[in-house]
Amino acid sequence: MSRVLLFAGAAPLALLAVNAPAFAADEAAAADAPVTERTSAGTGQSDADTIVVTARRRQETAQDVPLAISVVGGDHIDSTGSFNVGRLQQLTPTLQFTSSNPRNTSVNIRGLGAPLGLTNDGIEQGVGIYVDDVYMARVASSTFDFLDVKQIEVLRGPQGTLYGKNTTAGAINITTRQPTFTPEGRAEISVGNLGFLQAKAALSGPISDTLAARIAVSSTHRDGTILNVATGQKINEQDNLGIRGQLLFQPSDSVAFTLAGDFSRQNPRCCAQIYVRTGTTQRSLDRQYAALAALQGYGVPSTDAFDRVTDVDVPLQAKNKIGGVSLRGKIDTGIGTITSITAWRHWDWDPSNDRDFLGLPITTKSNNPSKQDQYTQELRLTGETGRLGYVLGAFGFYQKIHTNGVQQQGPAASAWLIKPSDALSKDPTVLDGLTATNDISLKNTSAAVFGQLSFKVTDAFTIQPGFRVNYDKKVGDYSSIVTNGAGQLVVFKTAAQGGNSAREKAQLAVLAPQQFNVRFSDWNVSYDLTASYDVSRDVHAYATYAHTFKSGGVNLNGVPTDSAGVPLLELATVKPETVNHFEAGIKTQFWDRKATFNVSIFRTEIGNYQAQVSNYTVGALRGYLANADKVRTQGVEFDFSARPSERFNIYTNGAYTDATYRKFTNAPCPPELSGGSQPVDASGNLTATPSAPGTPGGVSPLSCNISGQRLPGVSKWSFSYGAEGNLPAHLFGTDGQAYLGFDGNYRSNFSSNPSPSAYTWIDGYALSNFRLGYRTDNGFDIYGWVRNAFDVNYYEQLAVASGNTGLIVGQPGDPRTWGVTFKASF
């Protein structure tokens, strides 16, 4: 439950370990503290030794707040190059981020949040992402550059009794810098190898005595790290642009309204996963990768992924746009502070992918362009009287999503996807041009009332109960129409209709039509209780129990069918997850409050865990979204920081996380167990059940029991650490500080497949970053930096290519990068 605060500025980097449950430091942006200062919207902590948070919607000293959060200051984000959530995980050990493209992104905390590898609009993230109190329903927002950020807080554990949208695994709360009535500005430009160019600027100041404005822009470009030898182009590049504007109207000390609008877009040549290795499956040898590639005379340009080359033959595109408008109002009244946040958000996703991952025209299109609109309204009352503090809130959420997708097979598909013993595999026209056109939509309504009380039983002992009553409704429509290369419909035919020809059966085994409508609605009640005790002025202990839920969902990637191709609609809905969470911790300050050490233990049990399952006894081959019986994550977290003098500071924080499937008997099999007809694991750790006979393509896949196996993406051990030292210096005719900084992180090995596989374990790795620079008290800063200084080869993600051929693809992590940054502020 501990957090470490990394807060950098013109002064030496201050690293303070603190604990808090929610928003911190920026009163106007994130909290319901009274509006009392005309300049409060633009100010934050100036005293690095006393961190004021408003986690419980009132100002408190951070070390006194009995819940968990990791807080990273905006300047430290800049200095370490952590300009999006993917890079932020290097500073926060319990955060896991995986992304093969912005849509296919998962953000987890302590191993919980969203199943790895699932892209399904019908389920929700367990980790909420908020920007200035506005909930971001699309996890694609986490792939954008941070824009004019003051600080970021990563909360661990359920957060439903203080947040508008329910989140069972935690939340990432992003607080931007706010408009100020004192003129201020900042500018930053970074240049580096791989064509890296990043520019940021912000300007803030008064328009009148009651109106202030702020505008910020950010642009990032970097060449790709992988060469496509087929086109000569660098791919997996970065190309981001963002703009944000805010108006603050503050007619009195008790009233403030902030109108904000933002727009960001990405348009990189991205995103490719490249050949890593192959492994043996239970398919017949002539249906595994080596034989299939040899049959077509194909070889990848390199079998070493760290040569960073590929030959994918589909143009890559990852156009991603996100933006919106919000109005936040705060009014101080006799009974407390009333806060209202009204917001509209929009997301537009337009991709082009190569989903066979090879330079062969097997799958020539696999794209799911999506558009989403969301509307949110949150209303809170926060107050305090005597020994009682309170937060009461109501939240409404509505979103609609529309996806028009397409998958199309190419001339190499017949030889690759139909068994070689079948004469149809030698006829390219059987599958060439076979196309599934998908039309998918979702309407989602959610409403909740929530609250939390804080009662001081004695001066040292406090209890904090919370509650949430939540309603969710989802209405989904799924339609997939299949046509052959001649544009004719491909459908299931009954015996009365003469049945399907061998050619049609081969086509239906690859792409099958399906249409259905599905509805889901449910009420849920959550509650939690935290007890805290001040052992002394600098020693605080706390314990928390929370019972909560993750909303149920609907399957919008298709469901299994019966032998006649009729969708099994009982499998179209997914039960809510139920969560029981236990946590206890102690926080300490010592050495004249120049050092902190915090430690916590946690255990979270989830029933009906939402995951991808396989159940081939129900009909045609298909993995789909359903519920695993039970998942558990437990562990220990700690953080330590010390600032013995103004010239030096040091920090380290880490976590041991044991996250496993406790009972999951119908999981998709890993590739080494897939494609066979008999159970192969005699040890009992991975058992398998034969599928129903007659599976298309002559393959009898298995569903596997992976109970006891580790959840994907979770390292048992993870650490982040850093230090910075400085000396007085005189340069460019000014007095300042020369400084040397280091930050690093380590992750032990982790599984990169929903069902752990011998082929998809990612080895542990450590990354090291250095910076050397000079800064002055008047806001000038210049420093050189090198990231992944020792050029460590590591993978961000590995994946099993579809088709059970044994092909494993992945994304190599960034190589060593270096550059220089210039910053100025006033």
Side-chain angles (χ1 to χ4, degrees):
M1 295 296 275
S2 50
R3 81 175 187 181
V4 81
L5 176 64
L6 314 177
F7 197 79
L13 177 67
L15 301 160
L16 296 179
V18 292
N19 276 290
F23 309 100
D26 195 314
E27 298 95 333
D32 299 328
V35 182
T36 57
E37 279 190 72
R38 298 298 293 274
T39 59
S40 66
T43 60
Q45 313 102 296
S46 60
D47 181 356
D49 295 318
T50 303
I51 306 304
V52 176
V53 299
T54 48
R56 293 186 288 184
R57 314 304 190 189
R58 57 187 181 274
Q59 297 186 40
E60 299 173 288
T61 303
Q63 279 291 107
D64 295 336
V65 181
L67 290 176
I69 192 171
S70 298
V71 179
V72 186
D75 288 324
H76 192 70
I77 290 169
D78 293 338
S79 66
T80 57
S82 305
F83 55 81
N84 58 32
V85 173
R87 294 194 173 200
L88 183 66
Q89 71 171 340
Q90 295 184 17
L91 301 178
T92 52
T94 52
L95 176 66
Q96 296 93 35
F97 175 93
T98 57
S99 179
S100 57
N101 61 43
R103 179 181 173 88
N104 291 7
T105 297
S106 298
V107 178
N108 286 359
I109 294 175
R110 295 170 171 171
L112 304 177
L116 180 68
L118 278 179
T119 301
N120 193 316
D121 291 332
I123 66 168
E124 299 179 9
Q125 294 283 323
V127 175
I129 299 174
Y130 297 82
V131 178
D132 290 342
D133 274 0
V134 177
Y135 173 68
M136 307 285 173
R138 303 307 309 189
V139 73
S141 62
S142 67
T143 66
F144 282 102
D145 289 357
F146 298 142
L147 184 58
D148 200 24
V149 166
K150 182 173 182 61
Q151 70 180 35
I152 296 176
E153 302 146 4
V154 180
L155 292 80
R156 278 98 72 184
Q159 302 297 328
T161 61
L162 277 174
Y163 274 76
K165 195 72 173 73
N166 192 42
T167 53
T168 57
I172 298 173
N173 184 65
I174 300 170
T175 301
T176 69
R177 296 182 175 95
Q178 297 296 293
T180 59
F181 286 95
T182 301
E184 66 174 42
R186 57 177 57 220
E188 175 183 326
I189 186 167
S190 300
V191 295
N193 66 329
L194 297 177
F196 180 74
L197 177 61
Q198 185 176 73
K200 302 177 183 179
L203 186 64
S204 179
I207 296 175
S208 70
D209 290 343
T210 59
L211 190 66
R214 187 179 191 97
I215 188 168
V217 295
S218 174
S219 175
T220 301
H221 176 80
R222 193 192 71 182
D223 295 340
T225 57
I226 296 172
L227 175 65
N228 187 344
V229 298
T231 63
Q233 297 174 327
K234 291 287 190 72
I235 58 175
N236 289 15
E237 62 184 6
Q238 295 174 358
D239 185 9
N240 301 346
L241 177 67
I243 184 169
R244 181 178 183 86
Q246 299 179 82
L247 285 174
L248 170 64
F249 176 58
Q250 193 168 332
S252 72
D253 289 345
S254 61
V255 177
F257 293 92
T258 303
L259 178 66
D262 68 279
F263 173 79
S264 297
R265 71 109 179 102
Q266 295 172 322
N267 190 21
R269 191 177 292 114
C270 188
C271 302
Q273 294 175 287
I274 66 175
Y275 178 102
V276 172
R277 64 176 67 98
T278 61
T280 303
T281 75
Q282 290 194 67
R283 273 188 164 196
S284 60
L285 290 177
D286 64 354
R287 301 210 65 195
Q288 298 190 44
Y289 177 85
L292 292 170
L295 188 65
Q296 302 206 38
Y298 173 75
V300 293
S302 175
T303 56
D304 183 351
F306 296 106
D307 287 340
R308 301 180 188 273
V309 294
T310 188
D311 62 347
V312 292
D313 56 340
V314 174
L316 298 180
Q317 175 177 292
K319 291 184 178 179
N320 194 25
K321 298 177 183 178
I322 196 165
V325 178
S326 67
L327 177 64
R328 182 178 61 247
K330 292 173 59 179
I331 303 175
D332 291 343
T333 71
I335 59 173
T337 300
I338 298 174
T339 303
S340 172
I341 307 105
T342 306
W344 165 78
R345 305 288 309 166
H346 177 69
W347 174 62
D348 189 345
W349 167 240
D350 185 10
S352 177
N353 305 304
D354 191 321
R355 283 300 179 220
D356 57 51
F357 311 105
L358 302 170
L360 288 172
I362 301 168
T363 301
T364 54
K365 292 182 182 179
S366 181
N367 313 320
N368 285 287
S370 295
K371 293 182 183 295
Q372 180 247 14
D373 285 277
Q374 70 169 64
Y375 305 85
T376 56
Q377 173 62 56
E378 184 169 352
L379 190 65
R380 293 193 302 262
L381 170 66
T382 303
E384 191 170 1
T385 176
R387 291 184 174 270
L388 181 67
Y390 50 88
V391 177
L392 297 174
F395 179 75
F397 170 79
Y398 175 78
Q399 72 166 334
K400 55 183 180 180
I401 309 171
H402 192 197
T403 299
N404 292 110
V406 61
Q407 179 172 331
Q408 186 174 86
Q409 308 306 133
S414 294
W416 196 268
L417 300 176
I418 302 174
K419 58 184 179 181
S421 59
D422 190 330
L424 292 175
S425 68
K426 300 173 178 58
D427 182 355
T429 66
V430 175
L431 297 183
D432 188 18
L434 185 70
T435 303
T437 302
N438 305 320
D439 191 326
I440 306 168
S441 65
L442 173 73
K443 294 181 180 179
N444 178 199
T445 303
S446 180
V449 292
F450 58 92
Q452 195 172 91
L453 302 177
S454 180
F455 179 64
K456 291 185 71 68
V457 181
T458 70
D459 289 342
F461 180 60
T462 302
I463 59 171
Q464 181 179 296
F467 75 95
R468 181 185 187 89
V469 180
N470 202 94
Y471 173 75
D472 281 290
K473 178 182 178 182
K474 294 181 174 71
V475 178
D477 294 284
Y478 180 88
S479 173
S480 182
I481 297 173
V482 178
T483 56
N484 60 24
Q488 300 167 327
L489 289 175
V490 179
V491 298
F492 288 97
K493 296 177 182 177
T494 65
Q497 295 171 316
N500 291 107
S501 66
R503 186 183 183 94
E504 290 170 336
K505 289 178 180 177
Q507 293 168 342
L508 290 168
V510 175
L511 295 175
Q514 188 173 120
Q515 289 181 298
F516 63 86
N517 310 105
V518 59
R519 299 172 67 91
F520 170 88
S521 63
D522 195 20
W523 287 88
N524 296 93
V525 176
S526 299
Y527 49 89
D528 56 39
L529 178 65
T530 296
S532 61
Y533 183 72
D534 299 335
V535 180
S536 70
R537 176 173 176 263
D538 293 328
V539 179
H540 311 280
Y542 63 90
T544 297
Y545 168 71
H547 176 80
T548 184
F549 72 97
K550 179 181 173 184
S551 174
V554 296
N555 272 308
L556 290 180
N557 285 352
V559 296
T561 62
D562 64 17
S563 58
V566 177
L568 299 174
L569 294 184
E570 64 270 23
L571 304 176
T573 58
V574 185
K575 297 176 183 177
E577 295 180 352
T578 57
V579 180
N580 287 294
H581 174 76
F582 308 85
E583 187 146 0
I586 189 167
K587 303 180 296 179
T588 66
Q589 290 178 288
F590 54 97
W591 201 0
D592 293 330
R593 294 197 164 188
K594 294 177 181 178
T596 63
F597 178 76
N598 304 329
V599 64
S600 64
I601 58 174
F602 66 90
R603 180 185 177 102
T604 306
E605 300 172 345
I606 298 183
N608 288 322
Y609 179 75
Q610 295 171 359
Q612 183 169 317
V613 307
S614 298
N615 189 343
Y616 300 109
T617 63
V618 297
L621 168 63
R622 186 184 290 272
Y624 61 101
L625 186 67
N627 299 100
D629 288 310
K630 188 175 181 180
V631 159
R632 184 203 65 204
T633 179
Q634 60 186 7
V636 180
E637 299 170 349
F638 78 91
D639 60 67
F640 166 79
S641 68
R643 187 183 183 186
S645 75
E646 292 184 358
R647 300 299 175 202
F648 181 73
N649 56 73
I650 188 170
Y651 75 92
T652 180
N653 52 85
Y656 170 80
T657 307
D658 174 26
T660 57
Y661 300 105
R662 303 315 300 159
K663 186 178 181 182
F664 193 2
T665 58
N666 58 336
C669 286
E672 60 267 36
L673 297 182
S674 63
S677 59
Q678 298 296 325
V680 281
D681 183 32
S683 68
N685 292 325
L686 281 173
T687 56
T689 304
S691 70
T695 303
V699 180
S700 296
L702 307 169
S703 61
C704 286
N705 179 356
I706 61 171
S707 302
Q709 299 296 303
R710 202 190 305 181
L711 290 178
V714 186
S715 298
K716 282 195 172 182
W717 294 99
S718 56
F719 300 93
S720 65
Y721 35 83
E724 184 176 294
N726 69 81
L727 292 172
H730 186 81
L731 192 63
F732 307 129
T734 62
D735 291 325
Q737 300 168 351
Y739 62 92
L740 174 65
F742 164 78
D743 62 271
N745 71 287
Y746 167 78
R747 297 184 67 183
S748 62
N749 73 336
F750 59 94
S751 168
S752 189
N753 194 55
S755 298
S757 165
Y759 307 143
T760 57
W761 283 97
I762 294 180
D763 293 336
Y765 57 87
L767 302 179
S768 301
N769 312 311
F770 296 89
R771 59 190 178 275
L772 175 66
Y774 175 78
R775 62 190 168 216
T776 67
D777 290 339
N778 61 8
F780 175 77
D781 192 357
I782 178 172
Y783 59 94
W785 46 264
V786 57
R787 295 168 188 142
N788 189 8
F790 303 113
D791 204 19
V792 174
N793 287 331
Y794 68 100
Y795 291 107
E796 293 182 346
Q797 184 177 9
L798 296 177
V800 179
S802 60
N804 296 330
T805 68
L807 174 61
I808 307 298
V809 296
Q811 293 170 282
D814 284 350
R816 177 170 51 227
T817 58
W818 49 265
V820 62
T821 295
F822 305 85
K823 298 172 66 175
S825 62
F826 66 87

